[in-house]
Amino acid sequence: MEWNTSNNNKKKVTVINGSHFSNLEDFYEEVSQLFMKDEDWKVGTLDGFNDILYGFQGEIIWNDSQKSSEDLGFDVTKEFYQNKIRQGKPFNTELIQQKLDELINGNGQTLFDILIEIIESHKNITLILSH
C-alpha cells in the first residue's frame, strides 16, 4: 500500500453545511460527499460516521449548526429510537429503550449531541460550530 505523505503538514478544513440537510439520512449523504467522494460506499450509520473520521486530521466547521441542532433534536431522535425498538434484532432494544427514556426525561442525548460527541472523540479533529 502506498501512502501519500505530501499533505501531512497541511491541516484540512472541511465544512458541513447544516443548510444542506434536515434529517439524519441527508446528513449521512452530506458527510459521504465531503469525506468519501472517491469511495464507492456511503455512510449510513452512526458507527459508519465515526469510522470515516479515523484518519481525518484538521478542522470541521459545522455551518448552520443551530439549524442542525433543531433538525436532529428531540423529535427526530425519539423517532430514531422508536424505529430501532420496533425493528428489534440486531439492536439491543433494552439499551435503546433506556436511551429513549433518558431522552424523554430530559437528560438524554439528541442525534445532534451524539454526532458532536463522535466528532469530539477524535483528538486529531477540531470542531467549530457556526450558527
Side-chain angles (χ1 to χ4, degrees):
M1 186 177 274
E2 210 174 288
W3 296 98
N4 180 358
T5 56
S6 61
N7 287 341
N8 281 358
N9 296 334
K10 292 181 188 164
K11 292 243 186 225
K12 291 184 195 143
V13 177
T14 298
V15 178
I16 296 173
N17 268 308
S19 62
H20 290 179
F21 57 89
S22 58
N23 59 46
L24 191 60
E25 291 75 23
D26 290 345
F27 169 81
Y28 290 148
E29 185 70 34
E30 170 83 354
V31 296
S32 292
Q33 289 179 12
L34 291 172
F35 292 96
M36 305 171 43
K37 51 182 164 268
D38 299 328
E39 301 293 328
D40 58 0
W41 64 281
K42 294 184 178 188
V43 174
T45 64
L46 293 170
D47 287 338
F49 176 58
N50 186 38
D51 289 346
I52 64 166
L53 295 178
Y54 288 103
F56 180 82
Q57 192 167 329
E59 274 183 3
I60 294 176
I61 300 170
W62 192 324
N63 286 338
D64 291 320
S65 61
Q66 184 61 44
K67 176 187 178 299
S68 296
S69 174
E70 293 163 14
D71 289 342
L72 302 171
F74 179 86
D75 292 336
V76 171
T77 306
K78 182 178 169 191
E79 187 179 320
F80 174 79
Y81 287 140
Q82 288 171 335
N83 286 340
K84 288 195 178 310
I85 291 168
R86 257 196 306 277
Q87 190 176 337
K89 289 184 178 175
F91 300 111
N92 178 343
T93 54
E94 279 182 30
L95 177 63
I96 294 168
Q97 184 64 55
Q98 180 184 337
K99 289 181 178 290
L100 177 59
D101 292 344
E102 288 170 0
L103 179 74
I104 291 169
N105 292 330
N107 52 13
Q109 290 182 301
T110 64
L111 286 168
F112 181 76
D113 296 331
I114 294 166
L115 292 170
I116 296 301
E117 183 177 81
I118 288 170
I119 296 169
E120 290 180 337
S121 73
H122 292 268
K123 302 301 177 209
N124 51 343
I125 296 174
T126 303
L127 175 64
I128 298 167
L129 297 178
S130 173
H131 300 288

